[in-house]
Amino acid sequence: MRSSKSRSRAKNNRNRPSGGNVVNRVFDSSGPEGKVRGTPQQIIDKYNQLARDAQLSNDRVAAENFQQHAEHYLRLLSEAQREMEARREEQERQNRERQAERDRERAERQEREAAARQSDPAEAPQPDVMDFAPEASAPESGLVETPESQGEAPPAEAPAKKEKAPRRPRARKPKAAAEDTPAGDGDAPEAAE
C-alpha cells in the first residue's frame, strides 16, 4: 500500500500545468461534489452551473465553494491565454523584424543594381535623333543628313569597282632530302633556275 504522502504529491502534480497547452489540456478537478473532468473552460462552466444550483437551493456556503473552484480554473485559463498572447506578439515582432531586414536587403540590392546600370553606357539614356531639314518630297533613305551634305545633291551611283582576277595558288618548292644538303646550307635559299 502506498503512503499518503506519495499519493498527495501525485495528486498535486496532476493539476499543475506542465508548460503544455493549458487551454486544451484536460484536467481532473476534485470538487465538493466529486470529480469534474474537462478543459479549463468546461470545468469553469460546470462549477458556475453548480454554484447557480446551490444559490437556487439557498446553500450560500456551497455556492461560494463552487465559485472559488471556478475562479481557480479561470485564473489558470487567463494566465495561459496571457502567455499565448505574449508568445504570439513576440513571434509577430520577430516576423516584422525579419521582414524589415529583407526589405532593407532588397533596397540595397536594387541600389547596387541601379548604380551598376548607371555606369553601364548601354543603360545610359540615349540622345534623340533630330531631323534638321525635313523634306517631304525626298525619299527616305534611312541615312542621317549632316550639315555638310545639306546643300549637295544626292550623290550619283558610284562607279563599279574593277574586278580583280582570281589569285593563283602558290607553287610549293620541293623539299630537298637531308642527305642532299651540305651541313650549314639548310638555311640558305636555293637559287632559282
Side-chain angles (χ1 to χ4, degrees):
M1 187 166 171
R2 287 193 206 169
S3 71
S4 62
K5 260 190 178 179
S6 66
R7 204 169 6 154
S8 67
R9 218 180 293 131
K11 180 179 170 185
N12 287 339
N13 289 337
R14 182 173 49 222
N15 287 334
R16 299 261 164 87
S18 60
N21 188 359
V22 175
V23 175
N24 295 326
R25 186 170 168 223
V26 175
F27 288 89
D28 287 331
S29 175
S30 298
E33 292 285 316
K35 284 193 174 185
V36 176
R37 182 175 173 85
T39 64
Q41 187 60 52
Q42 292 170 337
I43 292 174
I44 292 167
D45 293 342
K46 179 66 175 175
Y47 280 132
N48 283 335
Q49 181 61 42
L50 290 171
R52 278 192 294 274
D53 292 344
Q55 272 184 333
L56 290 175
S57 64
N58 290 329
D59 190 356
R60 290 187 306 204
V61 173
E64 181 66 27
N65 193 353
F66 289 130
Q67 285 174 347
Q68 287 177 357
H69 278 77
E71 185 182 355
H72 168 71
Y73 284 96
L74 185 63
R75 286 179 183 166
L76 272 177
L77 184 62
S78 63
E79 180 64 28
Q81 288 173 338
R82 271 195 300 269
E83 288 175 7
M84 287 173 53
E85 182 67 20
R87 270 188 257 131
R88 186 183 60 78
E89 288 175 359
E90 178 65 21
Q91 286 177 345
E92 286 178 357
R93 185 187 61 78
Q94 290 174 352
N95 287 342
R96 282 192 302 270
E97 288 175 359
R98 278 190 228 118
Q99 186 62 40
E101 180 64 28
R102 277 188 237 126
D103 291 344
R104 278 192 298 273
E105 289 173 0
R106 187 178 304 120
E108 289 172 2
R109 186 172 54 243
Q110 288 174 348
E111 287 174 5
R112 285 192 305 266
E113 290 172 358
R117 273 190 237 115
Q118 286 177 352
S119 65
D120 186 8
E123 295 291 329
Q126 300 296 318
D128 292 335
V129 176
M130 298 186 71
D131 192 15
F132 289 105
E135 295 180 22
S137 63
E140 183 136 346
S141 64
L143 299 176
V144 176
E145 195 169 352
T146 62
E148 293 85 14
S149 67
Q150 281 183 353
E152 300 174 7
E157 288 194 32
K161 288 187 177 181
K162 185 177 173 183
E163 287 189 32
K164 292 184 178 180
R167 293 183 71 175
R168 258 187 3 198
R170 278 180 39 180
R172 292 186 175 213
K173 294 183 182 178
K175 290 189 177 180
E179 297 121 21
D180 294 346
T181 60
D185 286 349
D187 294 336
E190 292 182 15
E193 293 181 27

